[in-house]
Each structure stands twice: as structure tokens, then as C-alpha cells.
């Protein structure tokens, strides 16, 4: 599914995270058979979240950065929305 290139290109992500996200989108569409509208909606939500994390941390986001997020970071994201 070609959602990732068009929706998440503007967000700086490490390659390992970008590959993992692409695999997740493929799983949702090909294995779980989610509708394209659902996958696009998930991609939009993920793009919004990752753009916030990138700005919040001030650096390119990877799996390690996501693992290090705290409850305070998630609260900041919710307040930002």
C-alpha cells in the first residue's frame, strides 16, 4: 500500500521506523483486510502524532525515541491537539 510515502514523507523518521510502519500498513490492508479509508485514517493520526513527537523531542524519530516516551510526553501531545 502506497500510503506511507505520500502521507509521512514530511515527517523525519529513521529508516527502521519507516520500514516498520510500512509493514504495519501492509498488514492492515492485506492481511486484516481493513478498508483503505481506515488505513488512511490511521496514517493521518500517526502522521500527526509523529510530527508532534519530532517537534517535541527536536530530533528525527526512531523506535528508540518512541520507546523512551513517558506519560508526560503523551499528555503533552493530547494538550497540543
Amino acid at each position: 500500500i502506497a500510503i506511507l510515502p505520500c502521507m509521512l514523507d514530511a515527517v523525519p523518521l529513521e529508516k527502521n521506523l519507516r520500514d516498520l510502519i510500512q509493514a504495519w500498513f501492509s498488514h492492515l490492508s492485506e492481511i486484516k483486510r481493513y478498508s483503505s479509508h481506515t488505513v488512511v485514517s490511521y496514517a493521518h493520526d500517526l502522521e500527526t502524532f509523529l510530527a508532534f513527537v519530532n517537534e517535541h523531542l527536536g530530533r528525527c524519530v526512531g523506535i528508540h525515541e518512541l520507546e523512551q516516551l513517558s506519560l508526560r510526553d503523551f499528555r503533552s501531545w493530547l494538550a497540543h491537539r
Side-chain angles (χ1 to χ4, degrees), residues 2-44:
I3 291 172
L4 182 60
C6 65
M7 292 198 73
L8 291 175
D9 267 354
V11 180
L13 300 174
E14 290 182 2
K15 184 177 178 344
N16 60 354
L17 180 57
R18 191 171 294 278
D19 292 345
L20 189 62
I21 292 168
Q22 183 63 56
W24 181 59
F25 285 145
S26 293
H27 175 77
L28 292 178
S29 63
E30 297 167 15
I31 306 298
K32 300 291 270 182
R33 298 275 195 214
Y34 283 18
S35 81
S36 61
H37 296 289
T38 300
V39 177
V40 167
S41 180
Y42 283 15
H44 175 73

Side-chain angles (χ1 to χ4, degrees), residues 54-67:
N54 185 288
E55 183 179 322
H56 182 67
L57 298 178
R59 63 181 177 271
C60 185
V61 178
I63 295 170
H64 177 75
E65 286 75 19
L66 294 179
E67 290 175 337

